[in-house]
mmCIF file of all heavy atoms in Angstrom:
data_model
loop_
_atom_site.group_PDB
_atom_site.id
_atom_site.type_symbol
_atom_site.label_atom_id
_atom_site.label_comp_id
_atom_site.label_asym_id
_atom_site.label_seq_id
_atom_site.Cartn_x
_atom_site.Cartn_y
_atom_site.Cartn_z
ATOM 1 N N LYS U 15 -154.743 230.708 -26.013
ATOM 2 C CA LYS U 15 -153.689 231.617 -25.695
ATOM 3 C C LYS U 15 -152.483 231.032 -24.950
ATOM 4 O O LYS U 15 -151.415 231.411 -25.250
ATOM 5 C CB LYS U 15 -154.297 232.796 -24.776
ATOM 6 C CG LYS U 15 -155.183 233.695 -25.568
ATOM 7 C CD LYS U 15 -155.598 234.868 -24.715
ATOM 8 C CE LYS U 15 -154.681 236.105 -24.963
ATOM 9 N NZ LYS U 15 -155.330 237.435 -24.685
ATOM 10 N N GLN U 19 -148.574 230.679 -26.302
ATOM 11 C CA GLN U 19 -147.506 231.150 -25.473
ATOM 12 C C GLN U 19 -146.402 230.008 -25.507
ATOM 13 O O GLN U 19 -145.234 230.282 -25.505
ATOM 14 C CB GLN U 19 -147.924 231.279 -23.999
ATOM 15 C CG GLN U 19 -148.519 232.663 -23.881
ATOM 16 C CD GLN U 19 -147.501 233.775 -24.062
ATOM 17 O OE1 GLN U 19 -146.302 233.688 -23.633
ATOM 18 N NE2 GLN U 19 -147.979 234.893 -24.650
ATOM 19 N N GLN U 331 -149.007 230.713 -39.743
ATOM 20 C CA GLN U 331 -147.583 230.691 -40.024
ATOM 21 C C GLN U 331 -146.768 231.022 -38.668
ATOM 22 O O GLN U 331 -145.659 230.641 -38.506
ATOM 23 C CB GLN U 331 -147.184 231.721 -41.120
ATOM 24 C CG GLN U 331 -147.593 231.237 -42.576
ATOM 25 C CD GLN U 331 -147.451 232.370 -43.411
ATOM 26 O OE1 GLN U 331 -146.931 233.424 -43.186
ATOM 27 N NE2 GLN U 331 -147.904 232.218 -44.780
ATOM 28 N N TYR U 365 -161.329 234.357 -32.846
ATOM 29 C CA TYR U 365 -160.695 235.702 -32.527
ATOM 30 C C TYR U 365 -159.179 235.605 -32.736
ATOM 31 O O TYR U 365 -158.515 236.672 -32.783
ATOM 32 C CB TYR U 365 -160.951 235.982 -31.003
ATOM 33 C CG TYR U 365 -162.407 236.516 -30.747
ATOM 34 C CD1 TYR U 365 -163.292 235.558 -30.329
ATOM 35 C CD2 TYR U 365 -162.704 237.807 -30.971
ATOM 36 C CE1 TYR U 365 -164.646 235.996 -30.192
ATOM 37 C CE2 TYR U 365 -163.956 238.191 -30.812
ATOM 38 C CZ TYR U 365 -164.978 237.340 -30.349
ATOM 39 O OH TYR U 365 -166.235 237.789 -30.310
ATOM 40 N N ASN U 439 -142.405 262.004 -25.480
ATOM 41 C CA ASN U 439 -142.578 261.219 -26.622
ATOM 42 C C ASN U 439 -143.995 260.869 -27.056
ATOM 43 O O ASN U 439 -144.249 260.141 -27.945
ATOM 44 C CB ASN U 439 -141.732 259.900 -26.523
ATOM 45 C CG ASN U 439 -142.323 258.970 -25.435
ATOM 46 O OD1 ASN U 439 -143.176 259.423 -24.628
ATOM 47 N ND2 ASN U 439 -141.696 257.800 -25.300
ATOM 48 N N THR N 40 -168.986 260.399 -36.067
ATOM 49 C CA THR N 40 -168.140 259.881 -35.053
ATOM 50 C C THR N 40 -167.458 258.613 -35.553
ATOM 51 O O THR N 40 -166.380 258.843 -36.170
ATOM 52 C CB THR N 40 -168.887 259.467 -33.706
ATOM 53 O OG1 THR N 40 -169.952 258.572 -33.980
ATOM 54 C CG2 THR N 40 -169.578 260.784 -33.083
ATOM 55 N N THR N 49 -165.509 242.682 -33.234
ATOM 56 C CA THR N 49 -165.306 241.867 -32.019
ATOM 57 C C THR N 49 -166.644 241.077 -31.692
ATOM 58 O O THR N 49 -166.618 240.194 -30.871
ATOM 59 C CB THR N 49 -165.135 242.824 -30.798
ATOM 60 O OG1 THR N 49 -164.185 243.725 -31.269
ATOM 61 C CG2 THR N 49 -164.470 242.006 -29.654
ATOM 62 N N LYS N 183 -156.100 241.542 -28.061
ATOM 63 C CA LYS N 183 -156.518 240.254 -27.574
ATOM 64 C C LYS N 183 -155.354 239.250 -27.702
ATOM 65 O O LYS N 183 -155.197 238.344 -27.021
ATOM 66 C CB LYS N 183 -157.698 239.850 -28.289
ATOM 67 C CG LYS N 183 -158.953 240.321 -27.772
ATOM 68 C CD LYS N 183 -160.207 239.772 -28.611
ATOM 69 C CE LYS N 183 -161.523 240.488 -28.299
ATOM 70 N NZ LYS N 183 -162.069 239.722 -27.022
ATOM 71 N N ASP N 186 -149.361 238.971 -28.610
ATOM 72 C CA ASP N 186 -148.165 238.220 -28.921
ATOM 73 C C ASP N 186 -148.050 237.933 -30.456
ATOM 74 O O ASP N 186 -147.074 238.183 -31.115
ATOM 75 C CB ASP N 186 -148.029 236.967 -28.112
ATOM 76 C CG ASP N 186 -148.008 237.121 -26.652
ATOM 77 O OD1 ASP N 186 -147.354 238.035 -26.250
ATOM 78 O OD2 ASP N 186 -148.619 236.396 -26.001
ATOM 79 N N ARG N 194 -142.308 240.707 -38.621
ATOM 80 C CA ARG N 194 -142.063 240.213 -39.935
ATOM 81 C C ARG N 194 -142.203 241.417 -40.970
ATOM 82 O O ARG N 194 -141.337 241.511 -41.942
ATOM 83 C CB ARG N 194 -142.943 239.050 -40.302
ATOM 84 C CG ARG N 194 -142.399 237.763 -39.761
ATOM 85 C CD ARG N 194 -143.489 236.688 -39.710
ATOM 86 N NE ARG N 194 -143.857 236.262 -41.059
ATOM 87 C CZ ARG N 194 -144.884 235.440 -41.293
ATOM 88 N NH1 ARG N 194 -145.605 234.910 -40.232
ATOM 89 N NH2 ARG N 194 -145.242 235.080 -42.458
ATOM 90 N N ARG N 223 -141.211 252.549 -33.363
ATOM 91 C CA ARG N 223 -140.711 253.446 -32.301
ATOM 92 C C ARG N 223 -140.161 252.625 -31.163
ATOM 93 O O ARG N 223 -139.103 252.927 -30.611
ATOM 94 C CB ARG N 223 -141.818 254.284 -31.822
ATOM 95 C CG ARG N 223 -142.044 255.527 -32.726
ATOM 96 C CD ARG N 223 -143.262 256.296 -32.287
ATOM 97 N NE ARG N 223 -143.152 256.894 -30.977
ATOM 98 C CZ ARG N 223 -144.139 257.421 -30.268
ATOM 99 N NH1 ARG N 223 -145.334 257.543 -30.844
ATOM 100 N NH2 ARG N 223 -143.908 257.999 -29.074
#
Side-chain angles (χ1 to χ4, degrees):
Chain U
K15 282 187 98 158
Q19 278 296 323
Q331 290 170 3
Y365 287 94
N439 63 352
Chain N
T40 58
T49 316
K183 279 179 183 281
D186 298 320
R194 278 163 67 185
R223 277 176 64 191

